[in-house]
């Protein structure tokens, strides 16, 4: 944690605007994949938005920056100030609890569908990917361990569920974070403008590749994307932590957020024009992602206020499940469109069902979050390393205002309250509940304090 003079008010709890931004990133990816639905019943409606939909894969890069920001916000002082094996294991266990249960469920169920589809077709087109993945027990184990991408130059065909390649990439980032955070912690004293420049610079290599070639899918582009995006988010977090929020800063940040959004949209339309609807030159806009996220974190009005609305925040919380379930649902529906003439491309019933499928994936994501993702995360956090991650008395000053160079700062609160990260049955003043995603950033959720008050984790 940092001192009150270094920490914006918005960063002392859940950054709701960034949670709301997650559903925007998720829907950007979902609409991109949905645009491949067979038939042209709705082509004319999609046409005005083609520059935006065509580049929906960039939603993954937005997720990466969000993830780097929130993971750094949550764990910088936990892991960077006092590195330890116990803290590292606790961090990795928290990430597993967050991303693995719903991931494993979706992958396994879709694997059954792949076997069923293979039994019904005569060709080898089992999934809607240009490169077909291998369906064996060994490859299932790789999927379960989330390592299926690591030895491949391209993510094509690496994952059974096409979008899950980014989960494998982010898991690699999580494994590296306990080492990276040691460097980040030592850079936290750098001026905010230097950290901001580093954040943007991390996105430049991928943006430059898109500018020169219009092709974001070169060999090991996935590694460049996760490394650049995650570090950009981390440096953005460090920069934001240095800024003290005042009314003036709030106003300026709100304006900067709008400008960043306009630049993103303008860049996407420019890239579409330059590539004549083919190449993806619009990838240059990733340099604005750290700017947008930093500005949203520093403001509470304008775009931040809109993204902080209840429905947007809930959308952000179900965004990880949405990211995972949408491809399986789409592929099953597309398969039946080819098998059943009654709902085939161009048919009246098929055209009616197309938008219903889009709505269905949002409902399914809500159900997956409510009945799989959250219950499993809470249950797993009460077991294994979640029961013995570092618990030590934390003075109320630290909880309220953080530390400066490891020295508690003055503040208010319950003196001597203990923090038990991941153990909801132990009394504590504040408990952090990491919930990152894939391809995703995490939200900080409220927890019950020892005296019964509701607070946000710091």
């Amino acid at each position: 944690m940092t001192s009150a003079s270094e920490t914006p008010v918005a960063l002392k709890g859940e950054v709701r605007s960034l949670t709301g931004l997650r559903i925007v990133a998720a829907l950007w990816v979902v609409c991109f994949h949905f645009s491949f639905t067979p038939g042209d019943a709705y082509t004319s409606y999609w046409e005005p938005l083609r520059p935006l939909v065509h580049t929906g894969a960039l939603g993954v890069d937005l997720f990466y920056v969000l993830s780097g920001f929130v993971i750094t916000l949550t764990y910088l002082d936990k892991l960077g100030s006092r590195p330890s094996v116990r803290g590292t294991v606790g961090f990795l266990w928290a990430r597993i609890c967050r991303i693995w249960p719903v991931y494993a469920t979706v992958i396994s169920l879709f694997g059954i569908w792949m076997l069923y589809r293979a039994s019904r077709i005569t060709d080898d087109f089992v999934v809607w990917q240009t490169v077909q993945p291998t369906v064996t027990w060994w490859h299932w184990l790789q999927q379960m361990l989330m390592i299926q991408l690591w030895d491949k130059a391209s993510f094509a065909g690496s994952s059974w569920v096409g979008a899950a390649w980014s989960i494998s990439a982010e898991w690699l980032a999580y494994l590296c974070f306990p080492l990276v955070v040691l460097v980040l912690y030592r850079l936290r004293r750098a001026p905010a403008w230097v950290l901001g420049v580093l954040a943007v610079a991390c996105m430049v290599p991928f943006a430059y590749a898109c500018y020169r070639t219009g092709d974001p899918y070169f060999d090991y582009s996935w590694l460049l994307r996760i490394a650049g995006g995650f570090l950009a988010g981390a440096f953005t977090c460090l920069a934001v932590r240095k800024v003290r929020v005042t009314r003036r800063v709030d106003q300026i940040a709100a304006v900067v957020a709008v400008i960043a959004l306009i630049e993103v949209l303008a860049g996407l339309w420019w890239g579409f024009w330059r590539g004549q609807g083919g190449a993806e030159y619009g990838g240059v806009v990733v340099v604005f992602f750290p700017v947008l996220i930093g500005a949203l974190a520093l403001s509470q009005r304008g775009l931040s206020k809109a993204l902080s609305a209840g429905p947007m925040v809930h959308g952000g919380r179900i965004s990880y499940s949405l990211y995972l379930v949408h491809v399986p649902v789409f592929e099953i529906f597309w398969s039946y469109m080819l098998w059943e003439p009654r709902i085939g491309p161009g048919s009246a019933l098929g055209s009616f069902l197309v938008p219903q499928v889009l709505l269905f994936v949002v409902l399914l994501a809500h159900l997956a979050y409510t009945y799989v993702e959250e219950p499993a995360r809470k249950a797993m956090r009460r077991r294994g390393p979640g029961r013995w991650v570092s618990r030590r008395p934390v003075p109320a000053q630290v909880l309220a205002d953080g530390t400066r160079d490891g020295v508690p700062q003055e503040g208010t609160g319950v003196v001597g309250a203990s923090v038990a990260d991941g153990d909801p049955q132990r009394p504590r003043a504040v408990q952090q509940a990491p919930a990152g995603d894939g391809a995703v950033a995490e939200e900080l959720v409220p927890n019950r304090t020892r005296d019964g008050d509701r607070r946000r984790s710091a």
Side-chain angles (χ1 to χ4, degrees), residues 259-410:
I259 293 174
L261 177 61
I262 292 173
E263 291 292 343
V264 168
L265 295 176
L268 295 179
W269 259 259
W270 167 83
F272 189 80
W273 164 80
R274 183 183 178 191
Q276 296 298 302
E280 299 184 29
Y281 293 102
V284 297
V285 302
V286 296
V287 296
F288 295 105
F289 289 171
V291 179
L292 175 63
I293 289 171
L296 290 174
L298 286 170
S299 65
Q300 298 182 30
R301 63 185 72 198
L303 284 178
S304 289
K305 184 176 181 179
L307 291 170
S308 299
M312 296 298 292
V313 172
H314 181 69
R317 289 172 179 161
I318 69 172
S319 61
Y320 178 57
S321 289
L322 177 62
Y323 184 79
L324 283 172
V325 304
H326 79 277
V327 168
V329 172
F330 289 172
E331 292 204 15
I332 292 172
F333 178 63
W334 296 343
S335 296
Y336 277 99
M337 288 184 76
L338 300 182
W339 295 343
E340 300 292 338
R342 291 177 300 174
I343 61 172
S347 66
L349 181 57
S351 299
F352 171 77
L353 291 177
V354 166
Q356 315 308 319
V357 171
L358 190 59
L359 296 175
F360 175 72
V361 296
V362 177
L363 173 61
L364 184 60
H366 168 77
L367 296 175
Y369 171 80
T370 304
Y371 297 108
V372 178
E373 185 179 335
E374 271 297 281
R377 181 185 67 83
K378 293 176 181 178
M380 291 178 67
R381 288 295 293 271
R382 293 193 293 266
R383 294 167 174 80
R387 298 186 64 85
W388 55 261
V389 292
S390 178
R391 301 184 182 99
R392 60 182 182 272
V394 179
Q397 298 95 305
V398 178
L399 295 175
D401 298 320
T403 63
R404 181 179 296 151
D405 300 330
V407 179
Q409 305 301 303
E410 294 184 358

Side-chain angles (χ1 to χ4, degrees), residues 410-424:
E410 294 184 358
T412 60
V414 182
V415 176
S418 65
V419 176
D421 187 13
D423 189 351

